[in-house]
Amino acid sequence: MSKCKEAERLLFKYNTLLLSLPKRSMPRRTKENELRLTKKISEEPAYIEIKQITEAINKLNSDQREVLLAKYMSRRKLTNIEVYMSIGWSESHYYRLKKSALEGLLMAYEAEQLVFI
């Protein structure tokens, strides 16, 4: 499986795991487009994974985070065209950035897993 597909699966899993959180514990976006967990979450495996993925997303640069948050974590499912048009980037720039963001997310997530071992 390609790194990008694996990262997309990780983001879909993240969104699914977030459904198990109470609304008050959902990650919030900061001004810098980082995600911040608002409440201390328990040490259950699902919550640990949420924290790991959140930390991995926050390790990306702001443009990469913006792409991932807009594409994979918005309330409404957006197409790639809607995302790059709303951000104001060219199509080629968007796809290059999306690919680097997905690959970077996967590497950061794998590094986060090593920290929790």
Side-chain angles (χ1 to χ4, degrees), residues 3-4 7 64 67-68 93-105:
K3 288 183 180 183
C4 290
Q64 292 172 327
V67 166
L68 294 183
H93 179 71
Y94 167 76
Y95 282 108
R96 278 192 306 271
L97 197 57
K98 179 181 166 191
K99 181 180 179 189
S100 72
L102 289 169
E103 290 172 350
L105 172 67

Side-chain angles (χ1 to χ4, degrees), residues 28-50:
R28 305 280 188 244
R29 279 176 141 169
T30 65
K31 289 181 184 176
E32 298 80 29
N33 243 356
E34 289 185 354
L35 294 175
R36 179 173 300 149
L37 292 169
T38 55
K39 297 276 184 187
K40 181 166 174 38
I41 54 179
S42 73
E43 295 301 315
E44 292 181 33
Y47 294 134
I48 291 171
E49 190 153 15
I50 289 170

Side-chain angles (χ1 to χ4, degrees), residues 20-85:
S20 68
L21 287 179
K23 189 168 183 125
R24 66 184 182 282
S25 297
M26 294 293 281
R28 305 280 188 244
R29 279 176 141 169
T30 65
K31 289 181 184 176
E32 298 80 29
N33 243 356
E34 289 185 354
L35 294 175
R36 179 173 300 149
L37 292 169
T38 55
K39 297 276 184 187
K40 181 166 174 38
I41 54 179
S42 73
E43 295 301 315
E44 292 181 33
Y47 294 134
I48 291 171
E49 190 153 15
I50 289 170
K51 187 172 183 172
Q52 289 173 335
I53 299 170
T54 301
E55 291 298 320
I57 291 169
N58 287 338
K59 287 185 178 177
L60 301 174
N61 71 41
S62 62
D63 287 344
Q64 292 172 327
R65 278 194 311 269
E66 186 173 2
V67 166
L68 294 183
L69 294 176
K71 175 64 181 164
Y72 298 101
M73 303 181 80
S74 63
R75 294 183 194 276
R76 187 174 75 82
K77 203 69 165 155
L78 300 175
T79 64
N80 287 313
I81 294 170
E82 290 173 316
V83 174
Y84 70 74
M85 294 292 284

